[in-house]
Amino acid sequence: MSFFLHKSNFLLRTVYPEFWWKIDDSVEPTIYLTFDDGPIPDVTEFVLEQLDKYAAQATFFCIGDNVRKHRDMLYKVLEAGHMVGNHTFNHLNGWKTDDATYLENIQECQQELNVETDLFRPPYGRIKKTQVAEVIENYSIVMWDVLTGDFDRSLPADVCLRKTIQYTEPGSIVVFHDSLKAWPTMRYVLPRMLAHFAERNFSFRAVPQPIYAGY
């Protein structure tokens, strides 16, 4: 089982206060669903179907190379009224990548998206301070309050669901993945998570961004 924190801790939030971890600006209980690493045929379509059942909005942090290969999936995301963000072109780990290459990869993803967005999420949540200084000039860096762990094949799906429900609260930014790796667990957890919080009168919204001009 890979090690990760289901709930982002206080220390991380303190080190990077300029990042978005939660959004506490709504008068009603709201969850901000996000999906990383797509778009992928079948997987992303399943996510869209589940979201539609609850009139839920979400933000999809797309890998540029997947957009290049599956542009029709990007169109489906946008046509359904969801938002998109930049997740680099090749899912680069910022800690292991020189700054110039990292910034170029973000720009390459942006060109492939061809959608105005000011949202960026670093793959693995790993980004150097020097990279932050450049990226934050053009993007809001969106991290998370709750990491579902749907990508961890050794984590039982029912445990993933239980932990996700346990740690999610009003204002939480929650990370799922519309990827082949996460698909077996995500397709179990997402519909049950949506049903659980919908029954408790939560709404589901996309991470807000001031710039959006369609595609």
Side-chain angles (χ1 to χ4, degrees):
M1 185 179 295
S2 58
F3 174 77
F4 64 90
L5 297 173
H6 283 282
K7 185 81 168 179
S8 61
N9 64 27
F10 175 77
L11 178 60
L12 285 172
R13 297 173 195 239
T14 302
V15 173
Y16 292 105
E18 67 271 42
F19 293 177
W20 292 16
W21 301 94
K22 290 183 68 179
I23 302 174
D24 297 319
D25 64 352
S26 179
V27 296
E28 60 183 351
T30 301
I31 295 168
Y32 297 86
L33 294 174
T34 64
F35 295 86
D36 289 5
D37 297 356
I40 300 291
D42 296 332
V43 182
T44 302
E45 289 168 306
F46 171 83
V47 171
L48 294 176
E49 290 169 2
Q50 299 307 308
L51 295 175
D52 184 62
K53 291 178 182 179
Y54 296 93
Q57 293 180 313
T59 305
F60 290 76
F61 287 93
C62 300
I63 294 175
D65 195 41
N66 283 336
V67 173
R68 179 186 64 81
K69 292 183 287 189
H70 311 296
R71 182 162 297 278
D72 58 325
M73 291 295 100
L74 175 67
Y75 291 165
K76 288 185 178 183
V77 168
L78 295 170
E79 287 166 356
H82 303 291
M83 295 293 130
V84 298
N86 190 312
H87 202 45
T88 76
F89 190 85
N90 297 112
H91 203 262
L92 296 185
N93 183 331
W95 293 359
K96 298 179 179 180
T97 309
D98 68 84
D99 292 2
T101 300
Y102 193 74
L103 296 170
E104 289 170 4
N105 209 257
I106 293 172
Q107 182 58 32
E108 190 175 0
C109 177
Q110 193 64 43
Q111 291 171 350
E112 199 65 51
L113 282 171
N114 197 29
V115 174
E116 288 192 71
T117 177
D118 64 354
L119 303 179
F120 173 74
R121 173 172 285 158
Y124 313 101
R126 295 175 179 176
I127 184 171
K128 299 173 187 172
K129 283 277 192 180
T130 50
Q131 294 162 351
V132 170
E134 295 291 333
V135 173
I136 210 163
E137 291 293 320
N138 298 302
Y139 297 92
S140 296
I141 299 177
V142 182
M143 300 297 272
W144 56 81
D145 182 46
V146 178
L147 183 62
T148 63
D150 55 355
F151 54 84
D152 186 348
R153 290 288 184 90
S154 65
L155 181 69
D158 61 331
V159 175
C160 180
L161 174 63
R162 176 169 55 82
K163 292 287 188 180
T164 299
I165 289 174
Q166 175 185 346
Y167 291 118
T168 300
E169 56 190 356
S172 287
I173 298 174
V174 180
V175 181
F176 283 95
H177 296 78
D178 54 331
S179 66
L180 292 174
K181 183 179 181 181
W183 173 227
T185 299
M186 183 272 288
R187 66 184 173 187
Y188 175 89
V189 175
L190 178 61
R192 291 166 176 80
M193 185 263 201
L194 286 166
H196 175 88
F197 285 103
E199 289 172 1
R200 288 154 180 78
N201 297 315
F202 277 71
S203 62
F204 307 95
R205 296 183 183 175
V207 175
Q209 58 179 331
I211 302 171
Y212 181 65
Y215 61 90

